[in-house]
Amino acid sequence: MAAQKLYLLDGMALIYRAYFALIRNPVRTSSGFNSSAIFVFANTLLDILERHKPTHIAVAFDTEAPTPRHREFPPYKAQREAMPEELAASIPHVKRFAQALRIPVIEQDGYEADDLIGTLARRAEGAGGYQTFMVTPDKDFAQLVGPAICIYKPGRQGGEEEILGPAEVCAKWEINRPGQVIDILGLWGDASDNIPGIPGIGEKTARKLVRQYDNLEGVLAHAGELKGKQKENVLAYADQARLSKRLATIIIDVPLDIDLDALELQEPDREQLRSFLTEFEFNALGRRFFGDDFKAGRGAGVKTDHQGSLFAELRCLRNTPHSYRRIAGDDSAARFQLVQLLLGVDRFAFDTETTSLDAKTGRLLGFSVCWKEGEACYVELPEDPKACAAVLGEFASVWEDPGKLMIGHNLKFDLGVLLWSGIRVHNRCFDTMLAHCLVEPGQRHRLDYLAESLLGYTPIPISSLIGERGKEQRAMEEIAREDPEQLAEYAAEDADVAWRVAVKIEPRLSGSSQERVLWDIELPLLPVLADMEHEGIAVDTAALAEVGRALSARAETLRRRVLDLAGVEFNLDSPRQLGEILFERLALAEKPKKTKTGQFATNEQILTSLASRHTIVQDILDYREATKLKNTYVDTLPAQVSPRSGRIHTTFQQLMTATGRLASHDPNLQNIPIRTEAGREIRRAFVPRGPGWLLLSADYSQIELRVMASLSGDEALCQAFEHNLDIHASTAAAVYGVGLDGVLPEMRRTAKMVNFGIIYGISAFGLSQRLGIPRGEAAAIIDSYFRRFPGVKRYMENTVKRARECGYVETVAGRRRSLPDINSKNGNLRSAAERTAINTPIQGAAADMIKLAMIRIANSFEAERFRSRMILQVHDELVFDVLQEERQAVAEVVEDRMRTALPLKTSIVVETGFGKNWLEAH
């Protein structure tokens, strides 16, 4: 390896990747600024500095000025969507961060970052003594790789980093030398840059031809040896291929007025760096630089010795005072002492160690408790189930005390593990993960992240116990047997860290609306969900198999019908082939949308909008539904029946959605469609747990419309509900100016679309798309609606106005949702934020209502000592396993607790039904 290590970062490519890596869960400052791109880029850059210790470094950026490529080929990159506004706003701050580290930021009009990096890499290669690392996810850079130049790809979201030298590039592209990458791109093109290549030649064919004929010129010279359409296209598009190769070639002689010595790593600007990290609230990064007291403003200084670390070391177990203890499985005296200690405290942190991340299949190896910062204990448990239950029973007096607070991180998992071990916890709960979700919804919520960001502390990584991924990874059971002290230390630290994180988070909740949401809704719901997950629901696998046979037959009938309508055989499951049939052969759209890879887009939204143009489209949608239901549910549900219980156990997620609605996974039982016959048939396979039992379905009727009426206070809408009118027929009568007896079915259908569309801030364009009517007609319908229900209009306007003023909206219960785009200059982003502002208080109130109902129902079931159990929550519906003799009492309790969970100005209707299966009950 050369003495000098030069790292050249492709700034634009890295921040694009950084921004979209966290697009679903962005990092935001307390003011709402999306700092995802800055945060990920900063971590990538600091990781390079700390672990790879470059001697020279620079970051290259594009400018907005056109390049020679644009002048030669105006469509170059023309298909790219405009940069997201939040990402564009981050770019100046990314440059500021680099400048705070005194890392050169290089940009030059007329050239792309690729060209600047290529030029500097070649200069370093010519100078000798340098090993250059081009830091980029862009495949084009492979053409520059050589003995002294390689590509460094940072790991994505915890994945492995990748370094590509000549051998790796040749193996990856299946070529003889890296320079042949340009020839491949000349033939294949590059959809991301709108480089055309030769039609009909994909990546595999391009590689094969370049291997055979050495380069693009060789392929063109031997075009006569090719066959059929391939020969025809190569001959016809030879000039386009040469153009594509020129466009893909990185320029390596940019007249850059900078020498390599200017890229030598410098000492950071401490004050500028401190100011930057404080501004963007990057506490964990600040502690890496300045030590534990970063926020207090008393930095420990920045180390700049290139042979050492650039950063102040985070605290960890080896440099933090602690007193951890292991209680062996046969030490009953030590367990007795621990029980007495825990009985004397009002709160303790708790964590379990298991053989699996699946609560119902994993064996409980032990548990850890912490009752004071730095003091924790790990209790080993016997392998024999009866002996294990006996040891757990020794702690019953602790876990049965409702006056104690149990603290944990992702505590529902631990409660579930205990339930599968025969222990039901009655302590109050404080889950640091749920608390952090409410305090910092835009950040990550893993315990190690909270430890670093809130405590300046790095916990023992799990990989230090079990090893990295792969065949060499050890099982936790093996560690418990061979390295019990190591496992005890790891487990005790988890409880200790959870304790200390709770101490940090609780004050941040104090006095806020989120404190009420946490203590009144989310924390009381936690053990309820653990119970529901443990109960599960029974499935009739024979009935499911029958549904599967019917779905297979239906899918095949639809497939044959689609092929007949298309007039040609093709793979209906191939989006590319389907797009060609719909938009080239049948020409169903004048300007069809395309994906980033250049294929025609054929997603459900697009197909639904085209359904009225050709019967083939609805058949395709029906085919997709049949195959999806079969693949997602019919084929997979039988394998998810637990051998221990004979039932299926879904996992509920409390705060996965921004509105607070519950989600479920493994399996996801909330996505089984109820509006289609095929979806309803799958529900028929869900049955009671045994003879003498029934399923009860309790469903809120039109709850979001009732919430809208209550929040808006619209007199006409509220009266419609109070008089138990058909709300959709009532709306249709108002909109069309007819009596209720004059409402036609199509009028009611339109009114129903308007009623639910208004909740989501539907526009005239959106309504016209859904109903297949002219936009002017849709606009007239919406205007008529608002004339009839002016209170709804006022509610929407006032809600958006308040959101613009404070940057967020809240539900009646206080659940808050930030809206960083509400004042955006980008019309699309602003409109989307306005729709979210209108919808969130409505959908969020419905979510809060059913959560509160679940808590009250669970408490009532326990007080009444019912044997019946609540087992599922799906949107606005609750499902129960009910003992026949408890039927009437359970129905009365459920209906009452649901109706009174969150009082509204309008009446709340709960529809209930019993049945021998879920469909019959619903």
Side-chain angles (χ1 to χ4, degrees):
M1 184 66 70
Q4 310 291 342
K5 295 169 67 175
L6 169 62
Y7 278 75
L8 300 171
L9 281 68
D10 183 354
M12 292 303 294
L14 290 172
I15 63 172
Y16 254 98
R17 188 186 78 150
Y19 176 78
F20 285 104
L22 298 179
I23 192 68
R24 295 192 176 187
N25 189 24
V27 177
R28 296 189 184 277
T29 64
S30 56
S31 65
F33 183 86
N34 186 332
S35 58
S36 296
I38 309 169
F39 178 76
V40 178
F41 179 87
N43 272 284
T44 299
L45 181 51
L46 298 186
D47 189 61
I48 289 171
L49 294 173
E50 186 173 40
R51 295 201 304 112
H52 298 282
K53 298 179 174 56
T55 59
H56 296 69
I57 190 167
V59 185
F61 283 91
D62 301 333
T63 70
E64 295 183 359
T67 67
R69 298 178 182 88
H70 293 93
R71 289 189 285 271
E72 183 173 13
F73 185 60
Y76 178 68
K77 293 187 177 182
Q79 91 293 357
R80 291 191 175 182
E81 296 180 2
M83 182 184 297
E85 183 177 343
E86 290 185 324
L87 176 56
S90 296
I91 293 176
H93 302 298
V94 170
K95 295 177 181 178
R96 280 177 54 206
F97 180 70
Q99 290 161 354
L101 291 172
R102 290 203 172 100
I103 292 174
V105 173
I106 303 173
E107 47 194 349
Q108 187 157 316
D109 284 347
Y111 298 96
E112 297 179 50
D114 306 33
D115 304 323
L116 307 181
I117 291 173
T119 297
L120 290 171
R122 286 285 189 251
R123 282 189 192 176
E125 183 181 46
Y130 287 90
Q131 181 68 37
T132 299
F133 297 84
M134 302 178 294
V135 184
T136 179
D138 195 336
K139 63 180 181 293
D140 297 9
F141 281 90
Q143 64 188 269
L144 299 173
V145 168
I149 302 173
C150 59
I151 294 174
Y152 171 72
K153 290 186 176 183
R156 181 188 289 270
Q157 292 185 305
E160 293 295 321
E161 62 184 26
E162 190 176 10
I163 295 178
L164 304 176
E168 290 78 13
V169 167
C170 290
K172 193 180 186 75
W173 289 80
E174 300 174 359
I175 50 180
N176 301 318
R177 61 182 187 281
Q180 291 175 307
V181 168
I182 319 173
D183 302 292
I184 292 174
L185 294 174
L187 292 165
W188 173 29
D190 188 344
S192 65
D193 289 342
N194 211 30
I195 296 175
I198 294 178
I201 293 186
E203 182 181 3
K204 288 185 178 180
T205 303
R207 290 177 179 179
K208 178 183 175 182
L209 291 174
V210 169
R211 281 198 307 273
Q212 186 174 355
Y213 297 111
D214 191 59
N215 53 34
L216 174 64
E217 290 71 23
V219 174
L220 298 179
H222 292 84
E225 300 174 11
L226 305 178
K227 296 180 180 180
K229 191 68 174 178
Q230 188 178 94
K231 173 182 177 180
E232 181 183 325
N233 284 348
V234 170
L235 289 171
Y237 292 96
D239 287 341
Q240 184 167 291
R242 295 186 183 98
L243 167 66
S244 297
K245 181 176 178 178
R246 291 195 298 275
L247 295 175
T249 300
I250 294 175
I251 299 170
I252 57 173
D253 56 358
V254 176
L256 273 175
D257 186 20
I258 189 170
D259 57 39
L260 296 174
D261 291 340
L263 308 184
E264 187 172 359
L265 184 64
Q266 304 294 313
E267 180 179 346
D269 183 326
R270 292 172 54 189
E271 292 309 311
Q272 186 179 347
L273 184 60
R274 180 191 293 278
S275 174
F276 182 91
L277 296 174
T278 301
E279 176 184 347
F280 288 98
E281 302 166 13
F282 292 158
N283 294 332
L285 296 181
R287 293 187 182 100
R288 286 175 69 180
F289 272 108
F290 298 104
D292 296 346
D293 54 358
F294 163 67
K295 292 296 284 184
R298 299 188 304 275
V302 181
K303 301 177 184 179
T304 55
D305 179 1
H306 294 171
Q307 303 307 312
S309 172
L310 181 67
F311 315 107
E313 185 177 37
L314 288 176
R315 288 189 299 130
C316 61
L317 197 62
R318 68 174 180 272
N319 58 24
T320 301
H322 64 279
S323 176
Y324 296 163
R325 189 160 54 100
R326 175 175 73 93
I327 297 180
D330 58 356
D331 195 342
S332 57
R335 289 197 299 268
F336 177 79
Q337 290 178 345
L338 179 60
V339 168
Q340 298 310 304
L341 186 154
L342 293 176
L343 288 174
V345 300
D346 61 358
R347 58 172 55 195
F348 62 93
F350 179 80
D351 186 54
T352 57
E353 296 303 329
T354 64
T355 58
S356 169
L357 295 178
D358 186 339
K360 63 182 176 291
T361 60
R363 182 172 72 81
L364 186 54
L365 298 171
F367 64 87
S368 53
V369 289
C370 171
W371 55 92
K372 181 181 179 182
E373 181 175 332
E375 294 189 25
C377 186
Y378 176 67
V379 180
E380 291 180 349
L381 293 169
E383 186 172 345
D384 177 72
K386 289 185 178 179
C388 177
V391 172
L392 291 172
E394 295 174 16
F395 291 82
S397 55
V398 176
W399 289 325
E400 290 175 357
D401 184 352
K404 292 191 186 301
L405 183 71
M406 176 186 281
I407 297 167
H409 192 83
N410 190 20
L411 198 50
K412 179 160 66 66
F413 174 82
D414 301 303
L415 297 183
V417 170
L418 288 176
L419 280 169
W420 283 102
S421 300
I423 299 295
R424 189 164 185 271
V425 172
H426 293 269
N427 307 134
R428 293 181 303 124
C429 297
F430 184 88
D431 190 325
T432 51
M433 183 177 73
L434 295 179
H436 193 255
C437 283
L438 291 172
V439 171
E440 297 287 358
Q443 293 187 8
R444 292 172 290 170
H445 310 296
R446 289 171 55 91
L447 185 60
D448 54 358
Y449 174 80
L450 299 191
E452 291 193 356
S453 61
L454 298 178
L455 309 174
Y457 182 94
T458 298
I460 300 170
I462 184 66
S463 58
S464 70
L465 266 73
I466 63 176
E468 301 296 340
R469 297 176 182 176
K471 294 180 180 178
E472 302 302 317
Q473 196 172 70
R474 303 165 68 198
M476 289 294 282
E477 197 167 12
E478 178 186 344
I479 296 164
R481 185 172 56 252
E482 298 179 0
D483 298 305
E485 291 293 344
Q486 186 183 18
L487 178 58
E489 190 174 61
Y490 170 82
E493 185 194 47
D494 269 357
D496 186 14
V497 169
W499 173 279
R500 288 185 281 150
V501 166
V503 170
K504 288 285 187 181
I505 289 181
E506 277 192 277
R508 299 178 64 178
L509 283 160
S510 180
S512 71
S513 62
Q514 301 312 288
E515 183 179 33
R516 298 196 308 274
V517 173
L518 181 69
W519 286 106
D520 294 348
I521 302 177
E522 300 303 341
L523 292 178
L525 182 66
L526 195 155
V528 176
L529 294 178
D531 284 344
M532 291 169 65
E533 291 176 3
H534 179 252
E535 289 296 333
I537 185 168
V539 172
D540 183 341
T541 54
L544 208 55
E546 185 179 335
V547 173
R549 287 189 290 272
L551 286 172
S552 294
R554 175 169 170 74
E556 179 57 24
T557 299
L558 288 164
R559 189 183 74 84
R560 292 308 321 169
R561 200 154 71 195
V562 168
L563 297 182
D564 289 344
L565 290 169
V568 64
E569 289 282 334
F570 73 97
N571 181 4
L572 186 50
D573 298 316
S574 166
R576 181 184 63 79
Q577 293 183 34
L578 178 61
E580 291 170 355
I581 293 294
L582 296 179
F583 303 116
E584 290 182 351
R585 185 177 180 86
L586 300 179
L588 294 186
E590 294 180 7
K591 294 181 179 180
K593 291 184 178 180
K594 291 190 175 183
T595 65
K596 292 181 179 180
T597 61
Q599 295 181 5
F600 291 114
T602 59
N603 57 45
E604 184 177 357
Q605 182 181 0
I606 287 174
L607 292 183
T608 301
S609 69
L610 297 173
S612 61
R613 299 192 181 186
H614 199 296
T615 55
I616 194 174
V617 179
Q618 188 57 54
D619 285 343
I620 292 166
L621 287 168
D622 292 343
Y623 168 83
R624 283 186 173 179
E625 184 203 23
T627 54
K628 180 180 179 180
L629 287 174
K630 185 175 185 301
N631 296 337
T632 305
Y633 296 108
V634 176
D635 293 346
T636 61
L637 285 178
Q640 293 176 302
V641 174
S642 168
R644 293 178 67 178
S645 68
R647 297 191 290 274
I648 283 178
H649 303 265
T650 188
T651 298
F652 293 101
Q653 293 175 302
Q654 282 180 256
L655 293 175
M656 185 179 184
T657 63
T659 58
R661 278 193 175 275
L662 287 171
S664 82
H665 66 94
D666 297 330
N668 181 353
L669 298 181
Q670 297 197 333
N671 281 358
I672 302 175
I674 188 60
R675 294 184 177 88
T676 64
E677 182 180 351
R680 288 193 291 270
E681 284 304 306
I682 290 177
R683 289 194 174 205
R684 194 185 300 278
F686 289 86
V687 295
R689 65 184 59 200
W693 292 75
L694 292 170
L695 288 187
L696 164 65
S697 168
D699 197 357
Y700 280 119
S701 173
Q702 300 172 332
I703 191 61
E704 291 186 354
L705 294 179
R706 294 173 189 271
V707 172
M708 164 67 92
S710 181
L711 293 178
S712 68
D714 184 90
E715 187 175 348
L717 200 56
C718 289
Q719 284 184 355
F721 282 118
E722 287 306 310
H723 291 90
N724 293 319
L725 299 179
D726 178 335
I727 190 63
H728 303 312
S730 179
T731 299
V735 167
Y736 289 103
V738 298
L740 282 173
D741 55 353
V743 173
L744 301 175
E746 58 267 26
M747 292 179 180
R748 187 183 184 280
R749 183 177 68 87
T750 298
K752 183 176 181 179
M753 190 72 72
V754 174
N755 275 330
F756 287 109
I758 291 296
I759 292 174
Y760 293 91
I762 198 169
S763 64
F765 174 76
L767 186 62
S768 70
Q769 290 288 101
R770 291 192 189 183
L771 295 176
I773 60 176
R775 191 182 304 186
E777 185 179 338
I781 291 173
I782 292 176
D783 288 343
S784 178
Y785 178 94
F786 285 137
R787 283 195 300 272
R788 182 67 179 88
F789 304 115
V792 175
K793 179 73 169 176
R794 284 194 302 272
Y795 162 76
M796 294 170 66
E797 291 173 344
N798 292 337
T799 299
V800 171
K801 181 181 177 182
R802 285 195 300 271
R804 288 202 181 103
E805 291 171 354
C806 56
Y808 62 84
V809 289
E810 283 187 341
T811 66
V812 175
R815 189 182 304 277
R816 181 175 295 183
R817 183 174 186 177
S818 296
L819 299 167
D821 295 325
I822 194 68
N823 293 308
S824 172
K825 295 178 181 178
N826 182 309
N828 290 333
L829 291 176
R830 187 176 62 254
S831 295
E834 290 170 356
R835 291 192 295 272
T836 300
I838 293 166
N839 168 252
T840 294
I842 299 169
Q843 198 176 92
D848 291 340
M849 185 180 296
I850 201 163
K851 284 182 172 181
L852 287 166
M854 293 167 71
I855 296 165
R856 300 181 70 206
I857 289 169
N859 291 339
S860 296
F861 274 29
E862 186 167 1
E864 298 290 338
R865 298 183 182 277
F866 287 151
R867 290 171 59 193
S868 301
R869 292 289 180 261
M870 181 162 50
I871 55 175
L872 278 185
Q873 187 273 351
V874 179
H875 305 307
D876 301 321
E877 177 187 10
L878 296 176
V879 181
F880 302 82
D881 242 334
V882 180
L883 198 61
Q884 292 243 23
E885 53 261 38
E886 295 178 349
R887 173 175 178 164
Q888 183 175 347
V890 165
E892 290 174 356
V893 166
V894 168
E895 188 172 343
D896 176 76
R897 304 307 183 265
M898 289 180 72
R899 280 193 298 100
T900 58
L902 189 67
L904 299 178
K905 294 178 182 176
T906 57
S907 60
I908 298 172
V909 175
V910 178
E911 298 174 341
T912 59
F914 287 92
K916 295 178 181 178
N917 59 63
W918 188 6
L919 178 63
E920 187 179 303
H922 186 87

